[in-house]
Amino acid sequence: MLITPSLHRVHHGQNDCYIDKNHGGVFIIWDQLFGTYAVEREPVRYGVTTPVRTFDPIRLQFSWWRLLWADAVATRSWWDKLRLWWMPTGWRPADVRDRPWPKMGDELFQANYPASLKLYAFFQFVAINALALCFLASVKRAAVWEPWLLALVILFGCVSLGLLFEGRRGLWRLEFVRLLAMAALALSWGMWLAPGQWLIGVVLAGLCAASLLWLAWLASRPAPLVASTP
């Protein structure tokens, strides 16, 4: 049996009946065998059960591990310190179970962002994906370091764009650094790594320069870029 959109929606729900369900990416067979299969019975409330108030993808990935580590340090039982890492979702050692652990419930991470900032982030996200697809389509045999550089470019871009929405102007310096690094990489690629395609490198560097001007304009606006709502 294949995973359907409905079954995959269940996997991303924070409803109690949907926690730890439908892990399969293509087939649902293993979930049916191991008791983690669930059908969509009620409207899916998307998200996680603990509030993660950040758009930084690295912090998002490791936020749950930070909570587990806090419980592992706090519990007095050495057995609980070890088994905590493979116990079912929501399990906590008995001696730390009463410690406050925030629940998301109906609380949402809401903020009003200007259309200009969202448009900038969307353009940059599309540009990063287009760059990756062009690289994959044009390279028949990549050097060992090239896929790693591509992965670093994608990760750097996702982190930098996420931090634009944190509401702290100081974090925007990372995006300026990213654009400068991308411009330098494009020129280096066009002049030394692929001399026959120097024009493409110049065009990419020009797009980075235009993005720098766009970002500088956004940063110079006097109005607050983020207006959080309770």
Side-chain angles (χ1 to χ4, degrees):
M1 183 178 178
L2 292 173
I3 289 286
T4 65
S6 174
L7 293 176
H8 194 61
R9 279 198 298 270
V10 166
H11 175 72
H12 288 283
Q14 60 166 298
N15 313 49
D16 290 338
C17 59
Y18 297 153
I19 298 295
D20 264 357
K21 301 296 183 182
N22 298 354
H23 297 282
V26 178
F27 299 103
I28 201 68
I29 299 172
W30 297 108
D31 289 292
Q32 292 175 321
L33 289 175
F34 291 101
T36 56
Y37 172 74
V39 296
E40 188 175 358
R41 300 193 302 270
E42 60 185 56
V44 178
R45 189 171 69 250
Y46 296 104
V48 294
T49 57
T50 53
V52 183
R53 295 187 170 277
T54 181
F55 287 103
D56 181 352
I58 295 180
R59 288 177 59 192
L60 285 170
Q61 291 297 324
F62 289 97
S63 59
W64 181 252
W65 295 97
R66 180 180 61 82
L67 294 176
L68 290 176
W69 176 257
D71 275 356
V73 171
T75 183
R76 293 186 295 272
S77 169
W78 284 98
W79 172 233
D80 286 343
K81 290 178 185 292
L82 292 174
R83 66 173 177 159
L84 173 71
W85 303 97
W86 65 80
M87 293 300 286
T89 300
W91 183 90
R92 303 182 70 190
D95 58 342
V96 299
R97 201 166 293 159
D98 294 332
R99 293 181 61 197
W101 213 30
K103 299 286 288 183
M104 180 171 288
D106 294 327
E107 181 185 2
L108 300 177
F109 188 18
Q110 296 178 337
N112 296 322
Y113 300 102
S116 55
L117 178 61
K118 291 188 286 187
L119 182 62
Y120 173 86
F122 176 76
F123 175 80
Q124 296 299 324
F125 184 75
V126 171
I128 291 171
N129 282 274
L131 179 66
L133 289 175
C134 289
F135 172 81
L136 294 174
S138 62
V139 175
K140 295 181 179 179
R141 185 175 181 179
V144 175
W145 58 270
E146 288 179 324
W148 290 100
L149 179 61
L150 179 64
L152 181 61
V153 167
I154 295 173
L155 178 62
F156 195 1
C158 291
V159 171
S160 181
L161 293 177
L163 292 180
L164 292 179
F165 294 88
E166 293 287 325
R168 289 178 287 171
R169 294 293 182 92
L171 297 175
W172 285 39
R173 296 191 186 97
L174 185 63
E175 178 65 4
F176 280 102
V177 171
R178 183 187 75 86
L179 291 173
L180 289 172
M182 289 293 295
L185 180 62
L187 290 175
S188 300
W189 177 76
M191 292 180 180
W192 295 292
L193 301 179
Q197 303 183 32
W198 61 270
L199 181 59
I200 297 178
V202 171
V203 170
L204 291 175
L207 290 175
C208 291
S211 297
L212 276 168
L213 294 175
W214 189 356
L215 184 63
W217 175 76
L218 287 173
S220 66
R221 299 184 66 184
L225 288 169
V226 178
S228 299
T229 58

